[in-house]
Amino acid sequence: MPPSTVLPRFLVTFTVAVALLVIPSTAQATTAEPPYRAVTGMTYAELPGKAGAIDLYLPVDAGHGKPVPVVWVSGGCAWLCDDGNTIGPRYAEQFVPHGFAVAAVSVRSSGQAVFPAQLHDAKASVRWLRAHADRYHLDKNRIAAMGDSSGAFASTMLGVTGNDPELEGDVGVTGPSSAVNAVVDLYTPTQFAEMDQHNLPGSCELINEYGGGTNCHDDAKSPEGRLIGCRPSTCPDEVRAASPLTYVDTRTPPFLVVHGDADINVPWQQSQLLFDAVAAHRVPATFYRMHGMEHDMSFLDRTDGGFEHTVHTSSRNGEVVHMESAPPLNWAEVISWLDGALRVPTDG
């Protein structure tokens, strides 16, 4: 989805100028080594443009112990770009020091192909990871998927379609499973036909400006309309096929769902629909509704308590619980959640 704010050019220029004034001289400056080993420039499939890229960020000691779990990531851009792998370093800086590998992936844009091409690409990249797991010392049984906005759409669809062979596609490597074992979903659309029901002030204008349409989300030129190739209200079959809600079942892996209730790009109720669906199927899930948060993931960087939030959880026994004292959601909490979600069961 489109960003809600853009820095003015003069502010960017001024900020860069000030930064240059405080950088120490070349003789004094030191460059810290990144906390990971990057293996970039690879492809999981031959696709148009920048799509098909996969970059790995590995612990520096990978290969000297047990295989490491993987966090599959792709950045969001309203399905209008094909460079979702460029978000990789941001995730790698957080996850790799805690024993995870990060696989940053780009899928086709809506201008290159309509849905389900993006899902086929994402699945091909997961199959590629499993096919190359031994080479890069990856744990093929512990793969989580994470993303924001349209990147979260890809990760969410990976989570809910892992057991549906009809959605595998024929992109790239075939054979290994494309299922993931956990999903972190940051504010993705889940039901295109219901988005305009919950628009906040300014939302319709933003979507129209961004896509060039005139009818908010229900427009063939909206991000959602471009993805499925039609105006959502006129093509229920395409809307249903592109909805994660369609595929949730009891085999769906654990979900961490996050959405800000000040989001004018994607109404937070879209995440409520997803949480309700996974909870109804007794899937373990946690839903953070972040009060006052917009369409961005900057809250993860905060260590001061962050946004006020309302949190609900679901469990295998069908119980939905409102957590009165849930911890603030930041990178450390996401890592803790993933540690639990990807824990390998032991006998006894």
Side-chain angles (χ1 to χ4, degrees), residues 76-264:
C77 60
W79 301 288
L80 297 178
C81 64
D82 61 357
D83 60 354
N85 62 307
T86 58
I87 197 70
R90 182 176 186 186
Y91 286 91
E93 289 173 1
Q94 301 297 330
F95 287 120
V96 176
H98 295 274
F100 294 90
V102 168
V105 170
S106 65
V107 302
R108 279 173 285 180
S109 70
S110 58
Q112 293 165 332
V114 297
F115 184 85
Q118 295 73 20
L119 176 58
H120 291 168
D121 297 351
K123 284 179 168 291
S125 67
V126 175
R127 295 194 300 265
W128 186 96
L129 285 172
R130 287 200 165 94
H132 294 81
D134 292 342
R135 178 176 180 180
Y136 295 108
H137 309 287
L138 309 176
D139 189 339
K140 64 183 69 177
N141 296 313
R142 290 192 293 164
I143 300 177
M146 181 174 179
D148 70 297
S149 197
S150 59
F153 176 82
S155 63
T156 296
M157 290 297 284
L158 282 173
V160 299
T161 65
N163 302 299
D164 193 334
E166 295 183 357
L167 291 173
E168 284 297 312
D170 57 3
V171 177
V173 174
T174 59
S177 171
S178 67
V180 296
N181 309 103
V183 177
V184 180
D185 159 28
L186 306 179
Y187 43 87
T188 192
T190 61
Q191 173 48 273
F192 300 164
E194 297 185 22
M195 296 183 73
D196 285 335
Q197 297 178 20
H198 302 110
N199 281 341
L200 292 174
S203 176
C204 190
E205 293 81 0
L206 176 69
I207 298 303
N208 287 342
E209 179 182 357
Y210 197 69
T214 59
N215 204 37
C216 313
H217 293 284
D218 187 29
D219 195 297
K221 293 183 179 179
S222 72
E224 300 78 24
R226 291 176 185 270
L227 178 69
I228 58 178
C230 55
R231 181 179 178 182
S233 63
T234 68
C235 49
D237 290 342
E238 285 81 357
V239 168
R240 184 179 185 279
S243 171
L245 310 181
T246 301
Y247 308 102
V248 176
D249 61 24
T250 57
R251 297 170 295 175
T252 295
F255 263 75
L256 174 58
V257 181
V258 187
H259 212 132
D261 59 15
D263 189 340
I264 67 171

Side-chain angles (χ1 to χ4, degrees), residues 19 83 97 123 210 225 253 275 289 298 331 335:
D83 60 354
K123 284 179 168 291
Y210 197 69
F275 175 76
R289 176 183 171 186
S298 60
W331 286 109
I335 290 165

